[in-house]
Amino acid sequence: MESIKRGDNRLSISKYDNKFTASSYILRRDRLDETGVTLNNYGTINKLTPEYLEVKYPYKKDLTEETLEYITNDIDNFERTLFSSDEKEFYKYSDYIDVESFIDYFIINELFSNYDSGYHSTYIYKEAYGKLKMGPVWDFDAAFDNYKKQQQKIDSTAMHDAPWFKELLKDPEFTRKLIERYNLLRKDILSDDNIINYIDEITKYLGPAIDRDWKVWGDFYTSEYLSEYVIDGEIKDRNTKSYDEEINKIKDNIINHGKWLDEDIDSLYQFATFTKEYSIWNELGYFEKTILGNNKETFVKNILAIIYIFIFIASIVYISRE
């Protein structure tokens, strides 16, 4: 129940010292809090992102104008590249963010159908002189088809439309890495068996606390909290009536949405609009795969071909000079 905060046992980033402009920091995207410190950043000014980015650390009482400007410039630089229509400029986004953290954030919130993620209670942090990282994950009250206003779509992704991620998916290489990471995690940590076993273990551990909790909060579930939906002209009720029913709903949600993602996560490629033409500016690895080949035999053949072409051109130049 604790909020995201800096600390050795929380987010272990360096402590703020207002003697220096550069600082580690924590941001949160959420509804406007007029009592907080809200960034006037590029995405907000140009109405490219919903809601607002608020500085959660350093704390308001300690934060200097110089550090606030430093943080704002960080986000501005990232967003200018991310929202750029120029492909070469766009691919500089990886200079500013820890791509792997963005990928993991996408996967965990997508698999668990957290419809709030990216829009509200969304945390971003950075160590001084490091790169922006997404997380920690937070606020799952709208997950597992528990979003009040809308039924979850089992056969669709939701995170593809979230702020920043909508732009990142324009990069097919980002999508490729995301899919590879998803498939890897589904074999172990995020497998159906592992998650379901974990749910059962926690349910067993809670024991009689479940009944005590249900006596206080049970009416939250047995009320008409969730909107109804219609299938083939028949009205369906999304609200559960017991603890066991709620647990089974969570399990079914994970299994069914996970099954669809396992089979159709490649559909994320539909959002790719750039060709990776300029990726060499950021990632030599892509250059090696596309130009030199992604296996030893292809690599050797391509190197020999390049040498042959070079010798051929050199020979023509030599003969022409003779």
Side-chain angles (χ1 to χ4, degrees):
M1 297 299 292
E2 291 190 35
S3 60
I4 303 298
K5 63 180 71 173
R6 192 211 73 83
D8 293 338
N9 297 313
R10 296 295 181 264
L11 261 182
S12 186
I13 54 177
S14 58
K15 193 172 182 179
Y16 176 55
D17 186 341
N18 60 17
K19 295 177 182 178
F20 303 96
T21 299
S23 170
S24 62
Y25 57 81
I26 303 171
L27 306 178
R28 183 179 70 186
R29 185 182 298 284
D30 215 321
R31 300 170 183 85
L32 180 63
D33 180 357
E34 295 183 355
T35 66
V37 179
T38 303
L39 293 187
N40 193 29
N41 56 293
Y42 180 84
T44 301
I45 292 172
N46 293 282
K47 302 186 185 306
L48 298 170
T49 53
E51 307 303 353
Y52 301 87
L53 288 174
E54 179 187 347
V55 181
K56 302 302 291 184
Y57 185 85
Y59 301 119
K60 182 178 180 178
K61 62 182 178 63
D62 302 319
L63 185 63
T64 65
E65 287 295 327
E66 291 77 16
T67 298
L68 179 59
E69 183 178 356
Y70 164 80
I71 296 171
T72 304
N73 286 337
D74 259 2
I75 302 301
D76 284 350
N77 290 334
F78 166 51
E79 290 187 324
R80 284 194 183 97
T81 64
L82 189 67
F83 289 99
S84 176
S85 58
D86 178 81
E87 188 167 349
K88 182 177 177 180
E89 184 66 22
F90 167 80
Y91 277 114
K92 293 178 183 178
Y93 75 78
S94 60
D95 292 343
Y96 302 103
I97 67 171
D98 181 281
V99 175
E100 286 70 25
S101 72
F102 276 70
I103 286 173
D104 283 351
Y105 187 89
F106 183 108
I107 291 171
I108 194 71
N109 284 289
E110 180 58 54
L111 180 61
F112 294 161
S113 310
N114 187 10
Y115 275 27
D116 254 353
S117 59
Y119 300 90
H120 305 117
S121 302
T122 298
Y123 285 85
I124 310 102
Y125 70 98
K126 179 186 170 183
E127 181 58 83
Y129 303 108
K131 290 188 175 184
L132 287 169
K133 294 186 177 183
M134 284 297 297
V137 293
W138 183 248
D139 193 358
F140 282 78
D141 68 311
F144 310 112
D145 194 25
N146 203 51
Y147 185 60
K148 183 175 182 177
K149 299 178 181 179
Q150 180 182 344
Q151 179 200 9
Q152 185 215 343
K153 295 179 180 178
I154 292 292
D155 57 350
S156 174
T157 54
M159 284 295 294
H160 69 267
D161 212 27
W164 291 351
F165 289 99
K166 184 177 182 180
E167 305 304 313
L168 289 169
L169 288 172
K170 291 180 178 180
D171 175 10
E173 185 69 0
F174 177 86
T175 303
R176 182 191 66 78
K177 290 179 180 179
L178 191 156
I179 292 172
E180 287 185 355
R181 176 68 168 162
Y182 171 83
N183 289 331
L184 178 66
L185 292 172
R186 285 287 280 169
K187 293 177 181 178
D188 185 14
I189 297 173
L190 294 182
S191 68
D192 285 347
D193 287 344
N194 194 49
I195 297 174
I196 299 306
N197 286 337
Y198 183 75
I199 292 174
D200 290 341
E201 289 174 2
I202 296 301
T203 301
K204 183 179 179 180
Y205 170 79
L206 291 174
I210 293 172
D211 293 332
R212 296 197 301 270
D213 178 81
W214 196 261
K215 288 179 180 178
V216 178
W217 302 107
D219 61 336
F220 179 81
Y221 291 94
T222 56
S223 64
E224 301 302 315
Y225 172 73
L226 301 175
S227 61
E228 298 173 330
Y229 65 102
V230 179
I231 294 183
D232 298 328
E234 184 179 353
I235 297 177
K236 301 289 185 179
D237 185 5
R238 295 168 58 210
N239 297 281
T240 55
K241 304 303 179 186
S242 69
Y243 181 87
D244 289 340
E245 189 178 340
E246 184 69 26
I247 292 297
N248 289 332
K249 178 182 176 181
I250 291 174
K251 290 180 178 179
D252 290 343
N253 179 274
I254 293 170
I255 292 171
N256 293 329
H257 189 48
K259 182 177 185 296
W260 182 87
L261 285 171
D262 293 345
E263 297 172 354
D264 294 283
I265 195 170
D266 285 0
S267 63
L268 289 173
Y269 279 117
Q270 69 182 292
F271 305 111
T273 57
F274 289 127
T275 62
K276 202 64 179 176
E277 180 181 353
Y278 292 102
S279 63
I280 185 173
W281 292 91
N282 285 314
E283 295 185 50
L284 181 60
Y286 187 80
F287 172 77
E288 290 172 343
K289 283 183 293 179
T290 56
I291 305 301
L292 301 183
N294 54 11
N295 60 64
K296 186 174 181 180
E297 181 180 357
T298 305
F299 178 87
V300 173
K301 287 181 178 179
N302 288 347
I303 287 292
L304 292 175
I306 291 171
I307 293 172
Y308 175 82
I309 293 170
F310 177 78
I311 294 173
F312 178 74
I313 294 172
S315 300
I316 293 175
V317 172
Y318 177 78
I319 294 172
S320 65
R321 287 181 176 178
E322 290 292 319

